Amino acid sequence: MSNIADIRSEYSKSSLHVSSVSKDPIDQFNKWFGEALKSEVMEVNAMSLATINQYNRPSCRIVLLKGIENRRFVFFTNYQSAKGKDLEVNSACALTFFWPELERQVRIEGVATRIEESASEAYFKSRPRGSQIGAWSSPQSSIIKNSELLNQRVKQIETRFKGQETLPRPKQWGGYAVDPSLIEFWQGRPNRLHDRVLYTRNDREWNINLLAP
């Protein structure tokens, strides 16, 4: 096994300057996201979501961005999951996107709130039927005895909604929208002298600064 400390990559694909970025971080994010799509970045909408639980301990996992609505970053989950319970206790959270193919990272801090039920309903109806069944079947984040329990619950849900092409949305499932107060764009550069541009929000205005790598 190689020495982990010896693992390193040299970044040199692009650069980032305060003078060239958009004055609006959402516009800048959309620009970078579009470039990531064109570059066929794997799981381009995958982002880490960091939360704080009731014991004031951090927790982090990967979720999928499903849209940017009213300048907020939207994702969906089970409200009774660990992350859902965390956000009910403390709505502060952080998101991170990493697009290694472009040597880029975007870091976001903000506050998450549940989106309107009508929006959750609309998205749930757009999901594949198998995903809808999964949302009904999984007691997400709960300890289970074995995977057979899930198989049994899937069969029960399939029987319950037999003949229905679209299932109703479970009350415990829906969307959150993260309203950002900080967004940082990171571009890898040679010799670890990375470019970092930080947007911080003051009321509804955004301040832009360059950070040392």
Side-chain angles (χ1 to χ4, degrees), residues 119-166:
S120 291
E121 294 278 358
Y123 177 70
F124 188 80
K125 289 180 180 179
S126 74
R127 304 181 85 205
R129 192 172 188 277
S131 297
Q132 294 176 354
I133 291 174
W136 273 95
S137 303
S138 175
Q140 194 174 33
S141 299
S142 299
I143 295 174
I144 58 175
K145 185 176 181 180
N146 51 51
S147 58
E148 182 56 32
L149 171 65
L150 289 179
N151 294 333
Q152 292 174 0
R153 290 173 68 98
V154 166
K155 291 178 181 178
Q156 291 170 357
I157 296 301
E158 288 177 334
T159 299
R160 177 179 175 181
F161 295 109
K162 185 177 181 179
Q164 292 185 227
E165 184 176 346
T166 302

Side-chain angles (χ1 to χ4, degrees), residues 65-85:
L65 176 71
K66 288 299 180 179
I68 300 177
E69 303 292 341
N70 297 320
R71 306 179 60 78
R72 301 179 301 169
F73 297 81
V74 177
F75 67 92
F76 294 85
T77 190
N78 188 316
Y79 293 140
Q80 297 175 0
S81 65
K83 54 186 171 295
K85 291 178 180 178

